Each structure stands twice: as C-alpha cells, then as structure tokens.
Amino acid sequence: MKHIARRMFTWKFYFYEMLLPGLGAMSPERADAIVRRAGWISTYLRPGRRARLKGAMDRVDALLRRDGGKAAWRDLAESAARFTARDYPLDGATDAEALARFDAVGFEAVREAMAKGRGAILVGSHMGAHVAGMHWLFRREPAIRALVQRPKHVSRELDRRFDAAVAPYPQAEFFLRRDMAPAAAVGRMMQARAALRDGHALYLNGDIVWDGPNTRTCRLLGREHPFLAVWAELACLTRAPVFLVFCRHLDAGRFAIEFKPLDAASPARPEQLLAAYLAEVEAQVARDPAEAVAYLTWPCYTDAPDAAVAHAPAHRAEAHPHAPCSRARLAKDPVTA
C-alpha cells in the first residue's frame, strides 16, 4: 500500500496508468492530439521547461547549421510527450490496423539478407518513435530478436509480443540487464551469434552511453561520449550485414520506419562502424530536431563536455584501450542496450 501511495504522487502514475491505457481505444488522430496537447500543457506546469526546450533547439540549430528555418521549441514539447507515450497508442490494434499506420521503407533489403542465411544486425536509436518501431518489427517479422534491456512502460500488447517470441530463440533469453553477471553476458553473446548464423535478425540500440569495456569514444552533436559498441563487434565477428533503423512520428498517429544499409568502408573496425552510424544519427537530427528528444534533453547526452571541434567534417572515433573485436572483450563485462 505504501508503494502504491508513493506512486500516486508521481506524474508517471497518472500518465502511464490513467491517461495512456485509454489511448488504444481511440482513433489514431484523437489519441495523437491528446498526447501532443499534454506535451504543450507540461510547459506551463513545469517551471523553466519552456526555457530549457528553447535553449535545446537553439543549440541544435547552431551546432548543425540547419537550413530551412529555425527549429520550434513547441514542436519539441509535443514530440517529448509522444516520445514518453511510447507505443501505448498502438495497444489493442490488430496486426493489420497497426501495420497500416506505418510507412515502411527499405525492409526488403533486410529480408533479402536474412534469406541468404547470414542474418542481419538492425541498429536502432533513441530517435523519435523507437518503441513504436519495435512494435512494427515484432508484428511484421517473427525472426527478429531484440538484444536490449526489456523496455519499461510499454503497452500490454508489446509485452505480450515479447513473451510470445519463442522457439528456437525465446525473446526472454535475449533481454539484457545492467547488473548481468559476466557468465550470463557471455551466454547472451553466444546466443546472438547463433541466431545470426541461423538467419535471424538482431535489433540493438547503437547510442548507449556506457562506462567500461566494449566501448568506443565518438562524438555526437558536438559532445564526446563512450558508446557501447557490442553491435559493431558482433558485425565484425559475424560479417552479418548492418541496417540502421529510424522510426519517426507523423501526423494523425502515424509513423515512418526506415531501414538504411550501413556501407562500412572497413568492416573490421568497430570504431568506424560506430562513427558512420552516429553520422547518420546526426543527419536524422538535422532533418527533424523535434524528434531528437533524448539527445536534446537527457543528461547522459547533454551533460558531457563540448568537443574541442564541434564542426569537424567527420566524427572522430577512438578505439577503446582493450583489443578491438575480440571474443574476450565480449566476455569481460555485462552489456546492455
């Protein structure tokens, strides 16, 4: 009872347990309008929020030297609410109804790669509607597994999809934890390699800021971070093709999901894979800064010191002091995504 009472004094209780569960029963247009309005209202209820959002948009405009007009902080406020609502607006929709709300581009190349028996590595991010994108993956393609932490605050339908993805590779055995023991982490990596060899696709996030082994230091939006590079090391070890996945919010409760093949100049260098990925992330941010809620507001991205050269023509990626791309490094530290 005390735990429930404490939760009732947090905004998450009212947002995730009272507002969002009802969105799935509404039309996509109405649900989206309610969520966007909640984002706008939050700028009045939270002191200093408008100033922070405006400052974030001013910084990204200056950093990326965007063309096409000044980014609007109001759009960021609405996108922040959509981002926080995650996949709840898709809850209760049938497969046909949910998939019809996505404009998908590029997945044919992923299917072709999987059909050749090499598997595929799908590298997502925290850009835009990334949780809704997982909805599309699990409804559309049964041979996909997510090598990530199990997302919290997601719809009942997505939770059900996670639990329903079973033999030969149960999704429950792919979820990661930050406190995972080394032996369990090794088991996850070995299972991931086996799934790739059997022609499955693995979904990982490539923008996880991490402190420890299995990292590469690279710049994102003018700041240096050590990023977890497990996906890049798996690509080096298995030679599985890599596709970058980006999912954006569209008007009226729709989404756009895009799969872009990563053409790496040197597939044996994880740091180059990471740099190419982050370059594309920045291109996506420049395309629509309002969808970059995490990169513009989360402390793990914004509290890092500014890089010495903010507008260098290419990302500078440095190898972690440990030997690159070795099986031993994958075994040293529990990983997460």
Side-chain angles (χ1 to χ4, degrees):
M1 291 296 294
K2 290 183 178 179
H3 177 64
I4 296 176
R6 285 196 301 269
R7 289 168 54 205
M8 292 181 65
F9 287 97
T10 67
W11 67 269
K12 290 185 177 181
F13 175 82
Y14 298 96
F15 192 69
Y16 286 112
E17 299 190 32
M18 298 186 69
L19 174 62
L20 295 186
L23 295 181
M26 302 178 185
S27 69
E29 297 84 357
R30 180 170 175 77
D32 187 51
I34 290 174
V35 171
R36 292 171 67 183
R37 183 175 293 274
W40 176 250
I41 292 173
S42 73
T43 65
Y44 290 94
L45 299 180
R46 299 170 62 180
R49 180 162 177 78
R50 274 179 285 178
R52 288 192 294 271
L53 296 179
K54 184 178 184 299
M57 285 306 225
D58 288 344
R59 178 178 177 272
V60 79
D61 274 337
L63 181 66
L64 298 180
R65 299 175 180 175
R66 297 180 64 251
D67 296 325
K70 190 176 181 63
W73 67 267
R74 294 175 180 84
D75 294 336
L76 182 60
E78 293 181 353
S79 287
R82 283 169 156 175
F83 182 86
T84 308
R86 300 165 84 74
D87 74 306
Y88 274 85
L90 293 168
D91 199 18
T94 66
D95 285 352
E97 292 169 341
L99 295 176
R101 291 167 62 178
F102 285 82
D103 296 337
V105 176
F107 191 70
E108 294 78 10
V110 179
R111 293 295 301 271
E112 291 175 5
M114 295 169 64
K116 295 177 182 178
R118 298 177 59 197
I121 295 176
L122 310 180
V123 188
S125 68
H126 286 87
M127 182 83 181
H130 64 104
V131 178
M134 293 181 69
H135 231 285
W136 188 92
L137 292 173
F138 274 81
R139 286 179 183 263
R140 175 67 175 76
E141 180 51 64
I144 289 178
R145 295 295 179 266
L147 195 64
V148 299
Q149 290 187 87
R150 184 162 188 155
K152 297 180 179 179
H153 300 301
V154 297
S155 70
R156 291 170 295 180
E157 179 63 25
L158 188 56
D159 262 334
R160 189 184 72 79
R161 297 279 170 170
F162 288 152
D163 293 332
V166 289
Y169 296 104
Q171 174 58 51
E173 296 180 6
F174 281 82
F175 285 125
L176 305 170
R177 301 187 311 274
R178 287 185 176 269
D179 60 349
M180 184 172 287
V186 172
R188 290 292 192 269
M189 294 303 103
M190 299 302 293
Q191 183 161 264
R193 292 181 62 198
L196 288 171
R197 285 199 304 267
D198 286 349
H200 283 59
L202 289 181
Y203 175 88
L204 305 92
N205 284 324
D207 56 358
I208 304 297
V209 177
W210 189 255
D211 182 19
N214 304 321
T215 61
R216 297 291 188 277
T217 298
C218 202
R219 187 174 65 248
L220 175 63
L221 296 176
R223 299 180 187 273
E224 299 282 350
H225 305 280
F227 289 98
L228 192 65
V230 168
W231 69 269
E233 298 194 358
L234 277 172
C236 293
L237 288 169
T238 65
R239 297 295 190 266
V242 176
F243 296 85
L244 309 185
V245 185
F246 296 98
C247 190
R248 297 183 295 114
H249 297 95
L250 300 177
D251 290 337
R254 295 186 57 79
F255 307 91
I257 188 168
E258 181 180 14
F259 300 84
K260 304 187 69 170
L262 181 59
D263 184 13
S266 178
R269 300 285 298 276
E271 59 271 20
Q272 291 188 355
L273 296 180
L274 178 62
Y277 160 76
L278 292 175
E280 182 58 34
V281 169
E282 284 200 354
Q284 295 285 330
V285 174
R287 176 183 178 184
D288 190 355
E291 288 287 270
V293 175
Y295 305 135
L296 301 185
T297 64
W298 285 7
C300 64
Y301 296 111
T302 61
D303 286 353
D306 286 326
V309 181
H311 300 295
H315 290 252
R316 178 173 61 86
E318 299 174 351
H320 194 271
H322 296 281
C325 229
S326 67
R327 293 178 178 83
R329 288 186 58 221
L330 291 177
K332 283 184 178 180
D333 194 50
V335 297
T336 187

